């Protein structure tokens, strides 16, 4: 009987014959070797299964498991259930672990027992000059400390999904990915944070994140901007109800897009009192000039301005006015 490994690496794959061997090799070549690798075949119809079987035949740590139900959420959860280790690391068939990823993350979790999930910075390798993805990577890589990750969770997914390592008991307590018409990774991160799970990040790259035109985050409607805002509205509304129940909610950004996105909060019982902008306009609700916002205390401001440069300016302005991030305002776009 094999001893229990320290880490279970879960890698679901679907028709990944072009990249799967590279991904597996990057795992097997880790500096930290006490792990099992669970390869979940999600109904592949190409040569992926043969590639997985070849590695299983030469390394006893590789376990092969097929699933009939289609979808990365179900396949990943199946792998989590099979995991025998107390720590679980996620991996995608498109990507490559840097050699010391597992070592860095297991050491981090051992040294920080209060942290339940740890990610890491990524090296972005894009198939084309996708500036949106590059900006996202730069932003995500800048969020290292648990408080920064928590405070920025409603802007975007603060931790790149295939970098995560977490304690298995959290999956058993809070559940894994929820399958639905939304980004399963973002929903799980928001749900776990709502339950009080603290998350950290390795302050160095742990993964080569290989973006390409066929990646699900590009092609699947579950990863559209509209669906992201629907998911975040649910958890943002829940947080506001508990943490800012006595404050009036004002939206910074009175354009059509900001109003449409912020209106999703009303579906969850949040009443919007008014809008803030550089050019006040006639709206159904009050709209004031940003220079006229009152002293901190009465309002809770949600910035729905998506422009990255403006987002930084808004944050700096509010901080200079004495507003505290997470107490008086949040950036949510």
């Amino acid at each position: 009987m094999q001893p229990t490994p320290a880490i279970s690496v879960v890698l679901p794959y679907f028709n990944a014959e072009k990249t799967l061997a590279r991904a597996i090799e990057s795992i097997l070549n880790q500096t930290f070797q006490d792990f099992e690798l669970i390869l979940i075949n999600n109904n592949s119809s190409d040569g992926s299964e043969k590639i997985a079987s070849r590695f299983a035949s030469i390394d006893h740590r590789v376990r092969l498991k097929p699933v009939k139900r289609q979808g990365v959420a179900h396949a990943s959860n199946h792998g989590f259930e099979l995991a025998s280790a107390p720590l679980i690391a996620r991996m995608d068939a498109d990507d490559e672990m840097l050699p010391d990823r597992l070592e860095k993350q297991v050491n981090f979790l051992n040294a920080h027992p209060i942290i339940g999930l740890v990610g890491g910075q990524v090296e972005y390798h894009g198939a084309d000059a996708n500036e949106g993805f590059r900006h996202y990577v730069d932003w995500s890589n800048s969020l290292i400390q648990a408080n920064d990750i928590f405070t920025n969770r409603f802007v975007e997914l603060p931790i790149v999904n295939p970098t995560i390592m977490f304690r298995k008991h959290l999956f058993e307590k809070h559940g894994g990915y929820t399958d639905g018409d939304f980004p399963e990774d973002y929903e799980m991160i928001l749900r776990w944070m709502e339950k009080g799970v603290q998350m950290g990040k390795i302050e160095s790259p742990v993964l080569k994140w290989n973006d390409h035109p066929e990646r699900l985050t590009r092609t699947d409607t579950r990863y559209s901007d509209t669906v992201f805002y629907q998911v975040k509205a649910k958890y943002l509304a829940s947080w506001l109800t508990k943490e800012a129940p006595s404050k009036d909610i004002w939206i910074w950004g009175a354009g059509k897009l900001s109003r449409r996105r912020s209106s999703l909060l009303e579906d969850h019982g949040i009443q919007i009192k008014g809008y803030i902008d550089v050019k006040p306009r006639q709206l159904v609700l009050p709209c004031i000039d940003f220079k006229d916002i009152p002293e901190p205390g009465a309002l809770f401001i949600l910035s729905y301005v998506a422009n990255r440069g403006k987002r930084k300016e808004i944050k700096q302005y509010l901080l200079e006015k004495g507003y505290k991030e997470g107490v008086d305002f949040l950036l949510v776009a």
Side-chain angles (χ1 to χ4, degrees), residues 173-187:
K173 184 177 182 179
H174 302 306
Y177 300 120
T178 301
D179 201 2
D181 296 328
F182 46 78
E184 76 290 335
D185 48 358
Y186 192 30
E187 192 279 334

Side-chain angles (χ1 to χ4, degrees), residues 2 24-25 27-29 33 35-37 39 52-64:
Q2 296 292 336
I24 294 173
E25 287 171 352
I27 299 168
L28 298 181
N29 292 329
Q33 288 284 301
F35 63 84
E36 64 177 353
L37 171 57
L39 300 176
S53 297
R54 175 168 59 85
F55 281 99
S57 69
I58 60 176
D59 196 315
H60 71 275
R61 296 172 300 175
V62 179
R63 300 170 58 190
L64 306 181

Side-chain angles (χ1 to χ4, degrees), residues 11 61 90 94 110 128 133 150 160 166 191 217 222 252 271-272 274 297 316 318:
L11 192 164
R61 296 172 300 175
R90 263 289 276 116
D94 315 273
N110 287 339
D128 55 32
F133 268 76
F150 182 76
V160 174
F166 57 88
R191 175 163 34 90
T217 49
R222 290 175 297 168
W252 192 313
Q271 183 178 1
I272 296 171
Q316 186 61 35
L318 290 172

Side-chain angles (χ1 to χ4, degrees), residues 214-230:
E214 292 79 31
R215 197 171 187 120
L216 281 178
T217 49
R218 282 177 175 267
T219 62
D220 198 308
T221 56
R222 290 175 297 168
Y223 302 96
S224 68
D225 284 348
T226 298
V227 180
F228 264 92
Y229 278 93
Q230 290 171 346

Side-chain angles (χ1 to χ4, degrees), residues 245-260:
S246 61
K247 291 186 177 182
D248 290 342
I249 306 300
W250 282 68
I251 306 300
W252 192 313
K256 289 183 179 180
L257 188 59
S258 295
R259 298 202 312 272
R260 183 168 71 245

Side-chain angles (χ1 to χ4, degrees), residues 97-165:
M97 284 189 185
L98 293 180
D100 55 358
R101 172 194 166 175
L102 296 183
E103 180 180 4
K104 286 180 175 178
Q105 291 187 313
V106 71
N107 288 343
F108 182 93
L109 289 176
N110 287 339
H112 300 85
I114 196 171
I115 299 295
L117 179 151
V118 62
Q121 293 180 331
V122 300
E123 293 180 1
Y124 176 73
H125 295 260
D128 55 32
N130 189 301
E131 290 304 313
F133 268 76
R134 293 183 187 277
H135 281 298
Y136 166 71
V137 168
D138 290 343
W139 171 79
S140 175
N141 282 346
S142 73
L143 305 175
I144 303 298
Q145 302 303 319
N147 184 64
D148 292 331
I149 292 170
F150 182 76
T151 302
N152 285 277
R153 69 198 184 282
F154 295 121
V155 176
E156 243 280 27
L157 176 62
I159 301 176
V160 174
N161 185 48
T163 72
I164 67 173
M165 179 185 288

Side-chain angles (χ1 to χ4, degrees), residues 285-304:
L285 294 177
C287 181
I288 63 173
D289 190 292
F290 74 96
K291 295 177 182 178
D292 295 329
I293 63 173
E295 295 300 307
L299 310 184
F300 195 95
I301 297 173
L302 301 173
S303 173
Y304 274 84

